[in-house]
């Protein structure tokens, strides 16, 4: 209550002139003066309003002041309202005793001394106002407390809600979620831990978490956990955990520390299958590597064997060829027609075998030889090759066109001579008899390579065979005029590979072929 607000003062007396007199005295206090002409009326007022003080006339007809006072005191709301009894001097003795027994706070005799009455009432008014103030303040304080309390409650409800939601994620997640303390114990684990490792939650929380880690991974895990407690996040870490059945599982996890709470939030996943697959792949890779090494070894041995066989067979073959030719030339008569025919066949087969051995030797040499690579001027190299093939070119009435200023490549001249000798030789060979061979050689520059094209207008190659013709002894055409050993294109491929290059072909049956060899480009001059 602010001090400006007026306090109620109840004046109870059956005589109007007395009331008037009281009003005259108390009017200057500036408070609300309420009159009651009887005890009953006074009680009615007290039911409606609060009063700072009651001035109660003792002797009233009907309900006198004492009865009124005792009724006032019975109501809890008014039991402490100060009452000043007003009585005449005659009744003093009696009245004073009775009045105090009814809880009067003061007593005044008529005629009242105005200043004394005023001063006393003013004290009660002041007291009342102070009390009101205190009550209002405490009401406000209580309201504020209640408000604060309400807000705290709302916060708690929100938190609980969030917690419940989080817990739902926690319990439904298929991944392993956990909260551990900096003390190294799990504080909370979701059900996936139990499903994965087999321990009940209580056991997981009861032992230091390092206990569950495979002994070989403990040092690393301790280090990582230490880092977490110092505030750094674990991006990814893998370790093995023991299961309750004695086996172990690989877990891959990330974790973040919350130093203020002394907690680490862990998100883990069972990666055992992935680890097993990795191990299997590693094992297979290792096996594969081993097999490749073995095969390379075998290949080397075979090539060495091939070389020595080809080499060693040529001697006896030459002597067989020599004697067969001698038979044909010098013993014609003794042999007769049939014998001569047989001897000629030996000579032809011997020649074929000699070519085969020579090709195989070239192939083997290509495999085994140490090659020193250097820039090669293709124009002059190809002139050489064409020169070597001049007899066949003339015989076939072929034209060989070499594009001027071919790009230089990095290579090895004698290997390149083998490569292009075979390609141009094939281009001359694989034409039908009605067509005059036309061969064109050109280059196409790549980023750091050069593609050399050898194009012909020959019989062409069906797409389904284009892949295999570079294999050893692969031959598509074997009719008359297409003699060969099936080694030529194998030499082309092996040669290109030894020079760090590749080979290929584009062709259509009856429309000619375009063979290409891609080689490292020589630095431009
Ligand atoms: P060879 O020439 O001794 O038969 P190659 O290894 O040089 O053996 O060639 C393999 C096969 O590829 C040949 O038998 C032939 O069928 C086919 N071939 C090679 N070059 C050409 C070409 N320019 N046009 C058509 N077919 C070809």
């Amino acid at each position: 209550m602010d001090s400006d607000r007026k306090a109620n003062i109840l004046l109870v007396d059956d005589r109007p002139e007395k009331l008037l007199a009281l009003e005259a005295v108390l009017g200057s206090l500036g408070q609300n003066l309420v009159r009651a002409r009887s005890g009953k009326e006074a009680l009615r007022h007290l039911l409606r309003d609060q009063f700072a003080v009651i001035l109660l006339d003792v002797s009233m007809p009907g309900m006198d002041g004492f009865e009124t006072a005792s009724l006032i005191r019975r109501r809890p709301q008014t039991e402490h309202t100060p009452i000043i009894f007003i009585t005449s001097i005659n009744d003093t003795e009696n009245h004073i005793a009775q009045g105090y027994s009814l809880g009067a706070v003061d007593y005044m005799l008529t005629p009242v001394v105005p200043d004394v009455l005023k001063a006393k009432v003013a004290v009660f008014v002041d007291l009342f106002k102070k009390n009101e103030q205190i009550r209002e303040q405490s009401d406000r304080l209580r309201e504020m407390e209640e408000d604060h309390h309400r807000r705290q409650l709302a916060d708690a409800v929100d938190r609980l809600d969030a917690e419940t939601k989080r817990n739902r994620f926690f319990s439904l997640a298929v991944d392993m979620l956990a909260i551990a303390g900096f003390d190294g114990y799990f504080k909370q684990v979701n059900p996936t831990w139990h499903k994965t490792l087999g321990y009940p939650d209580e056991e997981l929380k009861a032992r230091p978490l390092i206990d569950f880690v495979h002994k070989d991974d403990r040092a690393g895990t301790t280090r990582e956990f230490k880092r977490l407690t110092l505030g750094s996040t674990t991006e990814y870490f893998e370790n093995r955990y023991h299961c309750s059945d004695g086996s172990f599982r690989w877990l891959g996890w990330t974790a973040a520390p919350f130093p203020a709470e002394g907690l680490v939030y862990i998100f883990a996943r069972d990666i055992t299958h992935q680890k097993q697959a990795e191990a299997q792949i590693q094992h297979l890779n290792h096996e594969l590597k081993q097999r490749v090494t073995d095969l390379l070894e075998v290949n080397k041995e075979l090539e060495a064997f091939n070389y020595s066989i080809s080499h060693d067979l040529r001697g006896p073959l030459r002597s067989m060829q020599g004697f067969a030719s001698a038979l044909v030339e010098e013993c014609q008569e003794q042999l007769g027609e049939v014998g001569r025919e047989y001897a000629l066949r030996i000579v032809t087969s011997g020649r074929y075998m000699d070519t085969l051995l020579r090709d195989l030797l070239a192939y083997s040499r290509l495999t085994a030889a140490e090659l020193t690579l250097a820039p090669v001027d293709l124009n002059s190299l190809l002139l050489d090759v064409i020169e070597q093939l001049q007899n066949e070119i003339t015989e076939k009435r072929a034209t060989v066109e070499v594009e001027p200023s071919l790009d230089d490549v990095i290579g090895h001249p004698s290997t390149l001579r083998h490569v292009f000798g075979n390609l141009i030789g094939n281009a001359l060979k694989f034409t039908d008899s009605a067509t005059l061979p036309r061969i064109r050689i050109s280059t196409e520059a790549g980023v750091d390579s050069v593609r050399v094209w050898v194009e012909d207008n020959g019989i062409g190659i069906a797409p389904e065979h284009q892949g295999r013709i570079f294999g050893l002894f692969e031959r598509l055409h074997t009719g008359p005029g297409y003699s060969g050993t099936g080694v030529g294109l194998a030499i082309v491929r092996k040669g290109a590979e030894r020079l760090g290059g590749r080979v290929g072909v584009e062709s259509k049956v009856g429309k000619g072929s375009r063979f290409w060899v891609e080689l490292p480009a020589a630095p431009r001059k």
Side-chain angles (χ1 to χ4, degrees):
M1 187 183 192
D2 52 78
S3 51
D4 298 344
R5 236 170 54 208
K6 291 181 177 175
N8 293 329
I9 303 168
L10 188 58
L11 313 173
V12 191
D13 206 310
D14 57 315
R15 286 159 299 175
E17 69 279 7
K18 292 275 267 310
L19 286 172
L20 261 176
L22 287 174
E23 276 179 356
V25 173
L26 301 173
S28 64
L29 287 177
Q31 305 303 319
N32 220 5
L33 303 175
V34 180
R35 300 160 163 218
R37 297 277 303 276
S38 66
K40 258 194 191 162
E41 201 186 329
L43 289 171
R44 264 204 301 279
H45 282 299
L46 285 164
L47 278 177
R48 276 202 303 271
D49 293 310
Q50 276 197 305
F51 289 86
V53 57
I54 303 164
L55 300 183
L56 190 53
D57 178 31
V58 175
S59 35
M60 286 188 293
M63 197 197 302
D64 70 10
F66 295 129
E67 279 177 84
T68 310
S70 84
L71 288 173
I72 289 171
R73 284 288 173 258
R74 259 186 242 163
R75 272 187 74 227
Q77 290 90 332
T78 52
E79 81 184 312
H80 297 299
T81 310
I83 299 172
I84 301 177
F85 283 110
I86 299 179
T87 187
S88 66
I89 211 111
N90 307 337
D91 308 318
T92 318
E93 289 283 317
N94 253 344
H95 282 180
I96 289 178
Q98 205 177 347
Y100 281 122
S101 77
L102 284 168
V105 291
D106 213 341
Y107 232 94
M108 296 205 71
L109 301 176
T110 47
V112 289
V113 182
D115 282 345
V116 175
L117 177 67
K118 219 163 96 179
K120 285 191 175 174
V121 169
V123 168
F124 288 120
V125 166
D126 203 37
L127 197 69
F128 177 76
K129 286 188 175 176
K130 289 226 165 81
N131 275 342
E132 278 295 277
Q133 247 173 13
I134 289 169
R135 199 173 50 76
E136 275 176 15
Q137 270 172 2
S138 73
D139 279 356
R140 223 174 304 140
L141 207 67
R142 206 182 52 244
E143 265 169 36
M144 272 162 61
E145 263 172 18
E146 271 174 13
D147 196 43
H148 180 66
H149 201 171
R150 256 199 309 279
R151 253 183 289 135
Q152 262 187 339
L153 203 68
D155 280 357
V157 169
D158 280 356
R159 263 207 311 275
L160 199 69
D161 206 36
E163 190 114 329
T164 317
K165 274 185 195 144
R166 197 189 67 200
N167 275 343
R168 248 182 244 156
F169 276 121
F170 210 71
S171 48
L172 292 176
V174 282
D175 289 309
M176 304 165 79
L177 309 183
I179 302 172
F182 279 9
D183 59 2
Y185 282 82
F186 285 121
K187 302 295 175 200
Q188 245 183 313
V189 287
N190 74 341
T192 315
W193 285 82
H194 169 66
K195 276 185 222 147
T196 310
L197 302 180
Y199 302 103
D201 289 6
E202 297 67 46
E203 188 172 349
L204 280 167
K205 290 187 213 165
R207 286 158 52 192
L209 64 85
I210 200 74
D211 267 19
F212 298 97
V213 176
H214 190 286
K215 69 174 177 18
D216 294 347
D217 297 341
R218 280 190 191 160
T221 308
T222 307
R223 252 197 320 276
E224 197 56 35
F225 200 80
K226 177 92 191 146
R227 273 176 17 89
L228 275 162
T229 58
L230 294 175
S232 51
T233 300
T234 299
E235 301 293 350
Y236 187 68
F237 192 79
E238 289 178 353
N239 58 4
R240 284 162 290 179
Y241 273 72
H242 289 296
C243 299
S244 58
D245 64 6
S247 62
F248 66 82
R249 301 202 73 78
W250 277 99
L251 302 189
W253 50 272
T254 53
F258 286 81
E261 300 165 3
L263 294 176
V264 177
Y265 282 65
I266 299 167
F267 171 98
R269 195 169 272 189
D270 183 356
I271 53 162
T272 311
H273 290 305
Q274 188 184 321
K275 277 280 175 189
Q276 281 165 349
E278 265 173 31
Q280 211 170 349
I281 287 173
Q282 238 172 17
H283 177 70
L284 288 176
N285 268 348
H286 180 75
E287 249 180 34
L288 201 69
K289 261 191 206 153
Q290 191 55 48
R291 274 194 208 168
V292 169
T293 317
D294 291 351
L295 277 175
L296 283 175
E297 199 56 41
V298 170
N299 216 16
K300 251 193 197 157
E301 278 169 19
L302 276 177
E303 274 162 2
F305 179 70
N306 182 14
Y307 181 81
S308 62
I309 290 279
S310 312
H311 186 264
D312 295 351
L313 283 180
R314 285 189 94 186
L317 182 64
R318 288 249 168 76
S319 116
M320 278 159 68
Q321 268 184 300
F323 283 113
S325 301
L327 272 178
V328 174
E329 283 159 24
E330 292 164 28
C331 311
Q332 284 191 40
E333 273 156 39
Q334 294 95 312
L335 283 175
E337 196 55 32
V338 178
R340 203 171 153 269
E341 176 64 28
Y342 290 167
L344 273 176
R345 283 199 189 182
I346 295 174
V347 172
T348 316
S349 296
R351 204 176 297 133
Y352 173 76
M353 209 164 156
D354 189 46
T355 317
L356 180 62
L357 289 178
R358 198 193 54 221
D359 284 352
L360 278 176
L361 267 177
Y363 182 82
S364 302
R365 278 202 198 102
L366 211 52
T367 319
E370 285 285 332
L371 303 183
T372 312
L373 305 186
V376 176
D377 171 4
L378 279 182
N379 284 88
S380 66
L381 184 128
L382 284 164
L383 276 182
D384 251 15
V385 174
I386 292 165
E387 179 72 36
Q388 295 285 317
L389 292 165
Q390 200 52 56
N391 283 343
E392 282 150 273
I393 293 172
T394 313
E395 196 182 302
K396 291 256 183 174
R397 295 198 286 145
T399 46
V400 182
E401 183 193 331
V402 179
E403 189 183 64
S405 344
L406 296 174
D407 292 304
D408 290 352
V409 297
I410 297 282
H412 179 257
S414 102
T415 305
L416 286 174
R417 268 194 282 272
H418 273 298
V419 168
F420 292 111
N422 275 296
L423 286 177
I424 299 169
N426 281 349
L428 287 169
K429 186 163 54 171
F430 295 105
T431 46
D432 64 46
S433 49
T435 310
L436 293 184
R438 245 191 3 262
I439 302 165
R440 188 167 185 279
I441 302 169
S442 59
T443 50
E444 180 187 331
V447 180
D448 46 16
S449 63
V450 171
R451 203 171 252 215
V452 189
W453 291 94
V454 179
E455 301 173 45
D456 65 49
N457 58 341
I459 55 177
I461 303 155
E464 63 271 25
H465 299 312
Q466 289 171 9
R468 68 179 172 95
I469 53 172
F470 294 95
L472 206 51
F473 305 125
E474 294 287 355
R475 306 199 65 221
L476 301 180
H477 310 95
T478 49
Y482 299 143
S483 66
T485 58
V487 180
L489 286 183
I491 288 179
V492 171
R493 182 165 75 181
K494 176 66 84 184
E497 281 171 1
R498 291 288 330 261
L499 302 177
R502 304 183 303 145
V503 291
V505 65
E506 292 173 3
S507 180
K508 268 189 191 158
V509 175
K511 299 275 180 206
S513 306
R514 302 177 75 217
F515 280 85
W516 57 263
V517 181
E518 199 170 273
L519 297 162
R524 298 202 194 283
K525 288 173 225 158

